[in-house]
Amino acid sequence: MREIRPEALRQLRQARKVTVLTGAGMSAESGVPTFRDAQKGLWANYRPEDLATPAAFLARPGFVWRWYESRRRQLQKLQPNAGHQALAAWQLKIPKMTLITQNVDDLHERAGSTGVIHVHGTLNPVKCFDCGASYQLPPCSDEAENAAPDQEAEVPRCNRCKGLLRPGVVWFGEALPAAALHKAEQAATDCDLMLVVGTSGQVYPIASLPGMARSAQVPVWIINPNASVLDDQASVLVRGTAAQVLPALFDRVS
Ligand code: BJW
Ligand code: ZN
């Protein structure tokens, strides 16, 4: 991590209301593949963009369910990284931190962050495709782990209406949960500083949040080892990974 200008560090130290927006890069060092990385292993031949739609699910529910099941199973084996932990510790130090995540994992919560806003939903709980009833799934067994993706799973059904259960995530073309989006938009403009960690900024409406913050004169810090379309919005651009940069920043503010 390159040296950050003293004026910028002062801004960070003095911030009382911080809004953090995280994307897939936040969990990369825990071992969760980013969304736009090449997939590995059994799923290497499939693009997430082609699986994460209601049409894909309706065409082959057992196939899409298996992909999400494999991700839930993988997540069970992973742990929050030093970046998740630094954010949780920081939240305890300042009067207000709003943590908005596009991630469907629960690694922020497992690190101890509270009030996390999941704008793209969660892998678990899942919900009924037809009536929306929510179901918390038990841990996945390892049984189906090595079966080929084209071996389709039996998709569980809703106790209330017998509809198919589906992942609790937001797919392309679906509306984001209204209350979560509303809170996220408010937090983007009502803060002293916004920290944007590990997102490519390609998916709307969330990709608009850093621009909304900038329009409200909020300084936007971007933490990402790679260039992204959001870089133009940055008042401070930190080229590094979440697990390296966030603990180092937290050290400097505490
Ligand atoms: C590191 C790192 C390390 C690596 N440390 N960093 C306006 C314009 C154009 C299109 C649209 C628009 N408005 C809406 C749309 C359509 C669409 C959209 O945005 N399409 C674009 C792709 C063109 N949006 C939608 O469809 C949304 N719905 C909607 O707008 O509905 C309107 C509506 C209203 C009313 C009624 C009905 C409809 C829904 C979007 C849902 C997104 N869902 C997904 C899938 C979730 C489920 C699943 O996981 O399977 O969410 S898509 C996917 O992308 C996932 C992610 O949350 C999201 C963002 O990805 P993210 O986090 O940025 O990851 P990556 O992989 O792209 O980037 C990783 C970054 O990390 C990189 O920059 C790396 O460099 C970095 N990195 N290692 C830090 N160690
Ligand atoms: Zn139902």
Side-chain angles (χ1 to χ4, degrees), residues 127-133 135 157-165:
K127 62 186 181 186
C128 171
F129 194 94
D130 293 331
C131 77
Y135 294 87
R157 288 191 173 266
C158 175
N159 290 337
R160 288 199 209 156
C161 78
K162 304 288 171 233
L164 289 173
L165 298 194

Side-chain angles (χ1 to χ4, degrees), residues 188-223:
T189 53
D190 181 18
C191 61
D192 307 328
L193 189 130
M194 178 184 247
L195 216 56
V196 178
V197 188
T199 178
S200 63
Q202 293 186 40
V203 178
Y204 287 86
I206 294 307
S208 313
L209 296 181
M212 289 172 66
R214 274 314 285 265
S215 305
Q217 319 303 324
V218 170
V220 174
W221 289 47
I222 293 189
I223 299 168

Side-chain angles (χ1 to χ4, degrees), residues 22-30 32-37 48-49 51-53 67-68 71 81 101-105 119-123 166-176 181 196-208 223-230 239-245:
T22 66
M26 180 79 227
S27 298
E29 287 150 294
S30 291
V32 182
T34 66
F35 205 79
R36 287 167 182 81
D37 263 349
E49 291 89 330
L51 299 170
T53 69
W67 181 50
Y68 282 96
R71 290 171 57 190
N81 64 53
T101 188
Q102 298 169 86
N103 298 342
V104 295
D105 64 50
V119 283
H120 290 163
T122 52
L123 284 175
R166 53 159 285 177
V169 302
V170 181
W171 282 324
F172 284 115
E174 295 188 308
L176 275 59
L181 180 59
V196 178
V197 188
T199 178
S200 63
Q202 293 186 40
V203 178
Y204 287 86
I206 294 307
S208 313
I223 299 168
N224 197 316
N226 305 306
S228 83
V229 292
L230 295 176
R239 281 273 172 262
T241 71
Q244 290 166 349
V245 173

Side-chain angles (χ1 to χ4, degrees), residues 177-188:
L181 180 59
H182 180 69
K183 278 192 209 161
E185 286 173 342
Q186 282 213 314

